[in-house]
């Protein structure tokens, strides 16, 4: 797989980039092992797209260095371009061309030659369930079809490293899980993937490592498990059949002093995860209130962020994460 | 699992292939926008009728046929309008995501722009054809024979190619397609109308006449008139560019091409940077 100088498919050191007064990236470093999936997780404006644009040679950083597929993004940009596939946050397909023509032209621009380009276009249309749409102008495509075509386009030259900027934003749940399946399929073939997302569950589903960025800084990173453990414990949520106030009070008393009532649910910290859940189920059976649902809820992305920003405000990055109220 | 499937070609070879593919893409797109082609064909017809008959009936040129005199001017002027359209098209392009994708591909940085410029010339050919037919219909004739006439059109197309790069630069600089329209329209109108396109410059006020005589568009028009055999009277004395209009046109076109292609390519590479 090429002459990688390191084991990292993507390696970035202290990337920085400003747009006028806006400091889009302050200091972002990444090391992504070949063949793994890294999710860049962050809110709107966190700097995800800026990072992707720098790593894909679309934007020059103000500071820092990066290597992709073993080549420097600044001095060996064309080498990098030969080895990456990119699906940007916004559509990049030509509305006036058909799906097939779009794929074919990108194959030609990747120097696959006319014949191979046509062949790859056929294969990819098949793979992404766009065979019938292949002869249709892209301007008639739905949002989900465009997204799939965009992903297909970034795969035409079998890239070593794939960048996906919010690949599932705007997709319906079915299309979303199809996209996940397509990404997993690629990873199984050895492609390194850097994807950005605003959804913790997406990062959780797909990524080997998660890097959380906020206001241009890496504020947390690790495997999904490490991250969740560092950010806070799950809570157990009991939802009753109806909002019977007396029953809700009974449940709250049973769940301990930290329990709170929200609508027809009661939630409490689950200090021991599944064990707490099991204990709660037993208690509920004893109480005999009509229960609709009991489950564990993991911290949401919002909680991840308030925790992480809180920690930054403390000026003591090593301090244990405060569990948000 | 390698990204590169073809045997290595030289970078020049690759650059040519990239430029060919980019041109092909713009031609396919062009075919899908028949309204634009229709407009570009209709425009010169309107001009021939408007200037040939509406204004032409009250304009006379000493010792000649005004329709014959006018046509070289309209041929040259259409290249100006085309370059303004290129500016708008490029500004529109640059605001689309597809250009970002091209920039992540290992293609020569010049190829997309070359594709734009070459396809502009090719897609302009139907309009040129219709204009020639109109010209023949109103009485214009290539008096010096077919060979000189072809030379004349080649000269005009060379100038059109050069101008398209000025249009591209305007499109790359402009922040929006509306801005590109404004930026490019001002010189187009100034150079297109303060010239010998419609009238003999000798009757203009002195300050305007100097501008019109030295206007490079006047040289292109004069070169066309010479080659089509529609020249009336000697060139104004002391105006080198009108005394040697063919050399001026070729020289100017080459200078624009040599200077502005690299400027455009550099600007394209750093747009969004
Ligand atoms: N070309 C630009 N000009 C000016 N400011 C920019 C530009 N690109 C990004 N920014 C700013 O930089 C910051 C980071 O933007 P970026 O697009 O990287 O965020 P993001 O994490 O991708 O957000 P989103 O989830 O909304 O896509 C934002 O404040 C944005 O306004
Ligand atoms: Mg973004």
């Amino acid at each position: 797989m090429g002459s990688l100088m390191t084991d990292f498919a993507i390696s970035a050191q202290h990337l920085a980039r400003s747009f006028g007064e806006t400091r889009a990236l302050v200091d972002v470093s990444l090391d992504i092992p070949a063949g793994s999936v890294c999710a860049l997780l962050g809110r709107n404006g966190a700097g995800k797209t800026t990072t992707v644009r720098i790593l894909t040679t679309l934007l020059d950083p103000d500071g820092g260095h990066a290597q992709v597929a073993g080549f420097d993004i600044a001095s060996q940009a064309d080498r990098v371009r030969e080895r990456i596939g990119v699906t940007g946050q916004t559509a990049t397909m030509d509305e006036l061309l058909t799906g097939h023509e779009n794929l074919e032209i990108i194959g030609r621009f990747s120097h696959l030659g006319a014949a191979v380009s046509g062949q790859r276009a056929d294969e990819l249309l098949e793979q992404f369930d766009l065979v019938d749409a292949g002869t249709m102008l892209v301007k008639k495509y739905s949002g989900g079809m465009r997204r799939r075509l965009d992903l297909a386009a970034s795969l035409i030259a079998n890239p070593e490293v794939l960048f996906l900027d919010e690949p599932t934003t705007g997709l319906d749940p079915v299309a979303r899980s199809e996209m996940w399946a397509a990404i997993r399929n690629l990873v199984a073939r050895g492609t390194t993937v850097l994807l950005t997302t605003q959804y913790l569950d997406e990062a959780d589903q797909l990524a080997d490592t998660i890097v959380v960025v906020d206001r241009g800084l890496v504020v947390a990173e690790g495997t999904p498990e490490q991250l969740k453990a560092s950010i806070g414990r799950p809570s157990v949520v009991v939802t009753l059949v109806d909002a019977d106030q007396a029953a809700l009070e009974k449940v709250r008393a049973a769940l301990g002093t930290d329990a709170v009532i929200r609508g027809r649910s009661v939630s409490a910290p689950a200090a021991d995860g599944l064990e707490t859940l099991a204990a709660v189920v037993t208690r509920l059976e004893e109480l005999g209130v009509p229960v609709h649902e009991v489950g564990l809820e993991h911290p949401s992305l919002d909680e991840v962020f308030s925790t992480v920003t809180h920690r930054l405000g403390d000026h003591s990055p090593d301090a244990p994460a405060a569990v948000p109220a | 699992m390698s990204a590169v499937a073809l045997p290595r070609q030289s970078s020049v070879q690759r650059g040519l292939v990239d430029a060919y593919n980019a041109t092909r893409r713009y031609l396919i797109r062009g075919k899908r926008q028949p309204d634009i082609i229709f407009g570009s064909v209709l425009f010169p017809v309107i001009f021939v009728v408007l200037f040939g008959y509406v204004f032409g009936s009250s304009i006379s040129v000493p010792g000649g046929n005004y329709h014959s005199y006018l046509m070289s001017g309209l041929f040259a002027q259409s290249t100006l309008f085309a370059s303004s359209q290129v500016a708008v098209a490029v500004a529109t392009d640059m605001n689309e995501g597809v250009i970002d994708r091209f920039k992540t591909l290992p293609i020569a940085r010049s190829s997309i722009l070359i594709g734009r410029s070459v396809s502009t010339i090719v897609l302009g050919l139907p309009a040129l054809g219709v204009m020639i037919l109109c010209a023949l219909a109103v009485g214009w004739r290539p008096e010096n024979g077919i060979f000189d006439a072809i030379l004349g059109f080649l000269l005009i197309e060379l100038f059109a190619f050069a101008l398209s790069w000025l249009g591209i630069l305007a499109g790359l600089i402009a922040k929006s397609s509306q801005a590109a329209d404004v930026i490019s329209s001002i010189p187009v109108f100034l150079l297109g109308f303060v010239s010998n396109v419609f009238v003999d410059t000798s009757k203009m006020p002195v300050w305007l006449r100097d501008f019109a005589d030295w206007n490079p568009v006047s040289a292109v028009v004069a070169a066309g008139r010479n080659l089509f055999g529609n020249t009336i009277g000697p060139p104004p004395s002391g105006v080198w560019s009108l005394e040697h209009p063919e050399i001026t046109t070729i020289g100017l076109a080459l200078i624009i091409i040599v200077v502005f292609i690299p400027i455009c390519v550099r600007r394209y590479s750093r747009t969004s940077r």
Side-chain angles (χ1 to χ4, degrees):
Chain A
M1 195 135 113
S3 56
L4 295 187
M5 294 188 294
T6 62
D7 292 339
F8 296 121
I10 302 171
S11 177
Q13 302 92 40
H14 309 292
L15 292 177
R17 170 74 202 212
S18 298
F19 297 99
E21 293 288 284
T22 314
R23 298 185 73 192
L25 289 190
V26 179
D27 184 355
V28 169
S29 298
L30 298 168
D31 280 317
I32 304 173
S36 72
V37 183
C38 173
L40 216 53
L41 187 65
R43 283 183 180 157
N44 288 139
K48 303 183 296 295
T49 299
T50 306
T51 307
V52 169
R53 288 176 67 81
I54 289 174
L55 293 174
T56 54
T57 77
L58 283 171
L59 195 68
D60 289 329
D62 298 337
H65 301 278
Q67 299 78 41
V68 173
F71 294 97
D72 189 87
I73 52 160
S75 59
Q76 298 169 304
D78 262 331
R79 289 271 175 284
V80 172
R81 290 179 190 129
E82 282 169 1
R83 286 161 178 81
I84 61 172
V86 187
T87 298
Q89 188 172 353
T90 48
T92 60
M93 291 294 104
D94 195 325
E95 305 250 306
L96 289 173
L97 300 187
T98 65
H100 192 279
E101 285 167 343
N102 263 298
L103 296 182
E104 202 209 305
I105 194 85
I106 291 160
R108 286 171 177 243
F109 280 152
S110 306
H111 303 122
L112 301 180
V116 178
S117 298
Q119 209 178 306
R120 283 291 289 148
D122 288 335
E123 286 168 21
L124 287 163
L125 289 172
E126 172 99 48
Q127 189 183 331
F128 285 90
D129 199 18
L130 290 168
V131 175
D132 295 333
T135 52
M136 215 161 88
L137 293 188
V138 169
K139 96 178 144 195
K140 296 184 190 151
Y141 277 33
S142 75
M145 289 161 77
R146 279 166 203 249
R147 216 63 201 130
R148 295 210 300 276
L149 186 66
D150 237 322
L151 179 61
S154 55
L155 299 179
I156 199 135
N158 288 320
E160 284 174 36
V161 184
L162 185 63
F163 294 87
L164 305 172
D165 197 357
E166 299 196 20
T168 63
T169 300
L171 293 189
D172 69 38
V174 175
R176 193 162 179 233
S177 60
E178 280 172 6
M179 183 62 83
W180 285 0
I183 294 169
R184 284 202 192 94
N185 197 8
L186 285 168
V187 178
R189 290 194 265 157
T191 312
T192 309
V193 179
L194 175 66
L195 62 89
T196 77
T197 180
Q198 312 192 25
Y199 310 113
L200 187 60
D201 66 324
E202 181 159 295
D204 198 3
Q205 285 285 329
L206 293 172
D208 299 312
T209 54
I210 297 177
V211 174
V212 184
V213 283
D214 188 39
R215 288 178 252 167
L217 284 166
V218 174
V219 289
E221 59 183 309
T223 65
E225 288 68 33
Q226 288 169 338
L227 204 61
K228 272 187 270 176
S230 79
I231 273 155
R233 299 194 182 88
S235 42
V236 58
V237 180
V238 179
T239 306
L240 301 190
V241 174
D242 49 44
D244 173 355
Q245 214 50 40
L248 283 167
E249 282 300 340
K250 242 200 234 174
V251 174
R252 187 174 71 154
L255 290 190
T257 46
D258 288 338
V260 286
I261 298 176
R262 287 200 198 95
R264 58 188 180 102
S265 303
V266 182
S267 69
D272 298 318
L274 285 175
E275 278 172 36
T276 312
L277 180 65
V280 167
V281 171
T282 318
R283 275 299 278 135
L284 288 173
E285 274 168 6
E286 290 165 20
L287 286 175
V289 290
V291 172
H292 173 68
E293 196 175 26
V294 186
L296 274 185
E297 229 168 55
H298 290 282
S300 69
L301 182 58
D302 264 350
E303 289 167 311
V304 171
F305 279 118
S306 40
T307 307
V308 166
T309 10
H310 196 116
R311 199 191 286 173
L312 273 185
D314 285 348
H315 294 288
S316 54
D318 298 329
V323 180
Chain B
M1 185 136 126
S2 167
V4 188
L6 273 196
R8 286 239 160 232
Q9 298 162 305
S10 79
S11 58
V12 175
Q13 254 176 324
R14 274 191 172 207
L16 287 175
V17 172
D18 293 339
Y20 165 79
N21 285 324
T23 309
R24 192 174 153 273
R25 167 178 175 269
Y26 277 115
L27 290 178
I28 296 175
R29 282 172 54 102
K31 263 195 336 207
R32 306 263 158 86
Q33 296 169 293
D35 44 336
I36 294 186
I37 297 199
F38 182 72
S40 75
V41 168
L42 199 65
F43 208 50
V45 177
I46 291 174
F47 260 54
V48 171
V49 173
L50 184 71
F51 288 100
Y53 291 98
V54 179
F55 300 146
S57 44
S58 55
I59 302 175
S60 68
V61 286
N65 173 337
Y66 183 65
H67 288 138
S68 297
Y69 178 83
L70 176 66
M71 283 319 300
S72 304
L74 292 185
F75 289 138
Q77 202 187 35
S78 66
T79 67
L80 286 174
F81 290 124
S83 74
S84 171
Q85 282 164 12
V86 171
V88 175
V90 168
T92 312
D93 264 6
M94 292 307 138
N95 289 324
E96 276 178 10
V98 65
I99 295 292
D100 268 353
R101 179 175 283 284
F102 292 154
K103 286 182 178 173
T104 66
L105 297 173
I107 52 172
R109 303 274 95 176
S110 57
S111 39
I112 299 296
L113 299 182
I114 292 177
R116 170 55 84 184
S117 131
V118 172
S119 66
T120 301
I121 301 295
V122 176
L123 292 171
L125 290 179
L128 180 67
V130 169
M131 210 164 168
I132 292 174
L133 290 181
C134 284
L136 291 169
V138 299
W140 170 82
R141 293 289 177 274
E143 313 283 350
N144 290 359
I146 191 77
F147 181 75
D148 272 16
I150 290 173
L151 222 60
F153 285 117
L154 284 179
L155 221 67
I156 288 171
E157 290 305 295
L158 175 70
F159 186 67
F161 180 75
L163 275 189
S164 73
W165 288 94
L166 296 182
I168 287 172
L169 185 61
L172 290 173
I173 291 171
K175 294 258 187 292
S176 67
S177 48
Q178 289 92 328
D181 197 14
V182 175
I183 294 177
S184 61
S185 292
I186 294 168
V188 162
F189 275 88
L190 253 154
L191 295 174
F193 287 91
V194 188
S195 68
N196 62 358
V197 167
F198 300 103
V199 291
D200 190 4
T201 57
S202 62
K203 288 178 196 141
M204 293 181 184
V206 178
W207 58 274
L208 208 57
R209 189 184 67 204
D210 284 346
F211 181 89
D213 280 345
W214 287 98
N215 178 349
V217 175
S218 295
V220 179
V221 175
R225 282 182 189 141
N226 280 353
L227 288 162
F228 300 140
N230 308 135
T231 304
I232 294 163
S237 64
V239 182
W240 194 90
S241 61
L242 291 183
E243 284 163 354
H244 308 89
E246 295 90 346
I247 297 172
T248 306
T249 304
I250 294 173
L252 190 69
L254 293 182
I255 290 172
I256 293 175
I257 288 169
V258 168
V259 173
F260 283 89
I261 291 182
I263 293 178
C264 289
V265 172
R266 192 153 357 116
R267 180 84 205 187
Y268 167 84
S269 312
R270 58 151 256 215
T271 311
S272 96
R273 294 209 150 202

